[in-house]
DNA sequence: TTGAAATATAATGATATTTGCATGTTTTGT
DNA sequence: ACAAAACATGCAAATATCATTATATTTCAA
């Protein structure tokens, strides 16, 4: 079992708009660098840096095919994580009526209950 | 439906060891600031800063009970996210047929070779 | 063999994050 | 009224992240 510290590093690694897009594309299949360049607006060096970061974290990997680098997903948590992010959550969690310990308390300011 | 950009901001907001711990504790119930101080090693001002950040992002909220602030979870994605992070993933995802070892294989796509 | 395509790496500067520390505010007990 | 408890806030320093630009590497094709 991977320690929680590593999972937090994983979260930090993926918490970036471009890197999420990269991972989202990779859940659909193998892609090479210039495929991403076509899809979203980012310079090639910047894209490489994001790919490199994801690889350093063991989240993705690639194989070499001629002058292409074909990237693919490696960390099994990614598809589930992407799917979770795409979920639709309408309702907020129910607020507690009062402090469970003191059974007292009001919300600050004009916040409604 | 909350746009993906916001969800990424949410990821960034929670991707911190102390903030994950805070959220993990909050999935178990309402807690006030000094409860957290007992649990993990962090100064009171720093703890307050993390709580404040989470609240700015709408992830948690609190109500006032005397001089206590009782924090609770607000964003419904958090329990699912915490649970997912605690999952145990043993196996890596299967690499595509054309693997780095053989250096062979076809790139799946119509890009020119 | 020469050039271009595909991609990586390195250096730089700008911006953001994190923490520590000092101090402020509100509430409660005496 | 006073002091302490519980918490927040403001600021500065250290550090990390990010995009940009320039350059390097490898492979393929003519």
């Amino acid at each position: 079992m991977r320690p929680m510290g590593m999972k937090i590093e994983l979260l930090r690694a993926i918490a970036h708009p471009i890197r999420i897009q990269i991972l989202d594309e990779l859940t659909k299949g193998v892609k090479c660098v210039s495929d991403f360049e076509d899809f979203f607006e980012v310079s090639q060096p910047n894209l490489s840096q994001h790919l490199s970061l994801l690889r350093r974290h063991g989240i993705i990997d690639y194989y070499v095919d001629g002058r292409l680098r074909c990237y693919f997903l490696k960390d099994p948590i990614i598809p589930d994580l992407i799917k979770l992010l795409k979920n639709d959550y309408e309702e907020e969690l129910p607020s507690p009526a009062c402090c469970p310990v003191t059974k007292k308390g009001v919300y600050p300011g004009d916040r409604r209950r």
Side-chain angles (χ1 to χ4, degrees), chain A residues 14-30:
Chain A
I14 73 171
H16 183 287
I18 292 184
R19 296 198 289 268
I20 283 283
Q21 276 188 277
I22 290 173
L23 295 174
D24 192 23
E25 287 303 317
L26 287 185
T27 59
K28 302 174 193 161
V30 179

Side-chain angles (χ1 to χ4, degrees), chain A residues 31-38 44 47-48 51 69 71:
Chain A
K31 293 247 175 342
C32 74
V33 181
S34 34
D35 287 332
F36 297 119
E37 279 186 275
D38 299 343
Q44 177 270 318
L47 182 53
S48 255
L51 289 166
R69 298 217 180 168
Y71 282 89

Side-chain angles (χ1 to χ4, degrees), chain A residues 6 15 23 25 44 51 70 89 96 103 106:
Chain A
M6 283 200 181
L23 295 174
E25 287 303 317
Q44 177 270 318
L51 289 166
C70 304
Y89 291 87
K103 307 293 185 204
V106 290

Side-chain angles (χ1 to χ4, degrees), chain A residues 45-79:
Chain A
N46 195 10
L47 182 53
S48 255
Q49 284 165 348
H50 287 300
L51 289 166
S52 172
L53 185 151
L54 289 171
R55 202 173 90 93
R56 270 204 307 283
H57 282 83
I59 299 169
I60 64 179
D61 203 353
Y62 63 84
Y63 61 85
V64 176
D65 183 7
R67 54 187 156 180
L68 303 180
R69 298 217 180 168
C70 304
Y71 282 89
F72 55 88
L73 280 187
K74 190 174 163 195
D75 192 314
I77 205 176
I78 298 300

